[in-house]
Amino acid sequence: MSSIVDKSEEQKGAEAEVEGFHNDLGPFVVAAETTRMAMVFTDAKEPGNPIIFANDAFLALTGYAREEVLGQPFNFLMADGTDVSTLKRIRVEFEASSAAGAAGTEILYRRKDGSEFCAALFASPVHDKSGAIVQYFTSFVDLTKHKEEQAQSRMLIDELNHRVKNTLATVQSIVWQASRANSDPKVIREAVESRLFALSRSHNLLTRENWHSAGLLDVLHDALEPFGVTDGRAERLVIAGENIRLTTKAALALGIAFNELATNAVKYGAFSNGKGSIRIDWTTEPMSEGRRLILSWREKDGPLVAPPLRQGFGSRVIERGLTHELEGTVQLDYRPDGLICTMNIPVPGIRDG
């Protein structure tokens, strides 16, 4: 009971203080009441600088009612009231408030509902006629959104660095394999340009998807579009499968793999004559190590196929992306009636829509 009485007496005393300086600083207090910046006045004559005035913006920021704030010590909102370093910074801010150029300090506070927010604290003294400090006028600038934007920016920068490193590693691999496969500068340039364009298309797709994931159908359509699938060849192409969502790494690797297969089909395979066709289908199968994507690229009715005498640049690019990047497997079966490529890769994704 005594604590309730004490609290009531503190509130009455705080209200009396408010009345006093409201009369003395009338226009200023009215402005403080209506401003959108959170503000309080504290009694500098009492230990703990108890709050004697809080404007509506402060109440909205903290979630407290006015009667719950008046009479409370200034530091009652601190997220950690025992943090010595924070208490020292607040004390320095109050002591430096009479000096020119005070820059404020960032403090972590806790709202009534328990949620935390960061605010920049600025303190200014209020003097009586003799020059003694009788009150402190303090304002709070909510930095929560600013801190969230900083964290988001750091995350985006880290993600960008990660993507750039991965992209440069892929480009380095493409250039190295192209130069290893041929000594003709013109052939090397064309091979590198083709793969870089494929990589660029996959990047554009992922950008449209905010780099969260990409649909397998979308990756496939983007990879095949430059080869004129919609210009007469569409009738000779069958695609069957759900638009499984792929990780960004899987989307990039498969985009390059599809580009290699389509390039080979146009130059030597089913799309190099007028009657060849390609069927692409896939399923997902649960296995002990997780769900796996089993994708089949089947060509038929193209020119007679013979197994290559040595592994070509394109097949090395496919195996590099699927085996090394995705921990998958790829099998190239050069049957006389058409190439069959079977891919087996992990699928940490979901169906699209």
Side-chain angles (χ1 to χ4, degrees), residues 38-325:
M39 295 179 179
V40 300
F41 284 96
T42 69
D43 187 351
K45 303 185 299 297
E46 296 293 331
N49 282 294
I51 297 173
I52 59 175
F53 169 82
N55 70 354
D56 291 342
F58 177 84
L59 301 177
L61 175 62
T62 63
Y64 283 94
R66 182 167 280 104
E67 59 271 15
E68 295 175 310
V69 170
L70 295 180
Q72 291 277 13
F74 178 78
N75 292 332
F76 88 102
L77 281 178
M78 282 179 55
D80 183 1
T82 62
D83 185 347
V84 176
S85 63
T86 303
L87 290 170
K88 181 179 179 180
R89 285 191 287 117
I90 294 176
R91 185 170 64 253
V92 169
E93 174 64 23
F94 273 79
E95 292 173 351
S97 62
S98 59
T105 185
E106 295 182 9
I107 307 295
L108 185 63
Y109 292 106
R110 182 174 286 119
R111 299 182 180 89
K112 183 180 179 179
D113 63 9
S115 62
E116 295 181 348
F117 68 98
C118 186
L121 168 67
F122 298 87
S124 300
V126 178
H127 301 270
D128 63 12
K129 294 180 180 179
S130 67
I133 298 176
V134 292
Q135 294 159 359
Y136 280 104
F137 161 63
T138 60
S139 58
F140 304 81
V141 178
D142 187 4
L143 302 177
T144 304
K145 185 176 180 181
H146 174 66
K147 293 293 184 181
E148 290 174 350
E149 290 174 348
Q150 280 187 328
Q152 178 74 2
S153 296
R154 285 194 297 268
M155 184 186 71
L156 291 175
I157 290 173
D158 291 343
E159 178 65 19
L160 178 61
N161 287 335
H162 178 68
R163 292 178 196 168
V164 169
K165 288 179 181 178
N166 285 346
T167 300
L168 291 177
T170 302
V171 172
Q172 182 183 35
S173 174
I174 290 172
V175 173
W176 179 78
Q177 293 184 59
S179 60
R180 180 185 175 190
N182 203 297
S183 59
D184 186 340
K186 181 179 179 181
V187 175
I188 294 174
R189 185 185 72 249
E190 291 176 351
V192 171
E193 285 180 351
S194 173
R195 277 75 187 183
L196 292 183
F197 284 142
L199 186 62
S200 175
R201 287 193 296 275
S202 295
H203 271 252
N204 288 338
L205 170 61
L206 288 168
T207 298
R208 296 196 298 271
E209 297 286 346
N210 293 320
W211 281 84
H212 292 153
S213 63
L216 176 53
L217 276 173
D218 303 320
V219 173
L220 187 56
H221 288 155
D222 271 27
L224 296 180
E225 189 274 334
F227 297 92
V229 172
T230 58
D231 186 19
R233 294 194 180 109
E235 298 175 357
R236 298 155 55 191
L237 174 68
V238 176
I239 299 176
E242 298 175 349
N243 200 20
I244 299 167
R245 301 302 295 185
L246 302 171
T247 63
T248 56
K249 181 184 288 187
L252 292 172
L254 284 173
I256 293 177
F258 293 144
N259 177 79
E260 297 303 321
L261 291 169
T263 299
N264 182 75
V266 170
K267 289 184 176 180
Y268 316 109
F271 281 168
S272 66
N273 63 15
K275 61 179 182 178
S277 63
I278 299 176
R279 177 181 176 85
I280 308 169
D281 55 38
W282 58 87
T283 60
T284 58
E285 299 181 6
M287 297 186 180
S288 58
E289 64 272 27
R291 290 174 66 228
R292 307 285 294 189
L293 168 68
I294 313 299
L295 185 144
S296 175
W297 173 294
R298 295 175 176 269
E299 300 184 23
K300 68 175 184 178
D301 298 332
L304 186 67
V305 175
L309 299 177
R310 61 185 180 87
Q311 187 182 37
F313 173 44
S315 60
R316 284 201 300 271
V317 170
I318 295 174
E319 290 185 351
R320 166 76 182 180
L322 302 186
T323 305
H324 297 284
E325 296 292 331

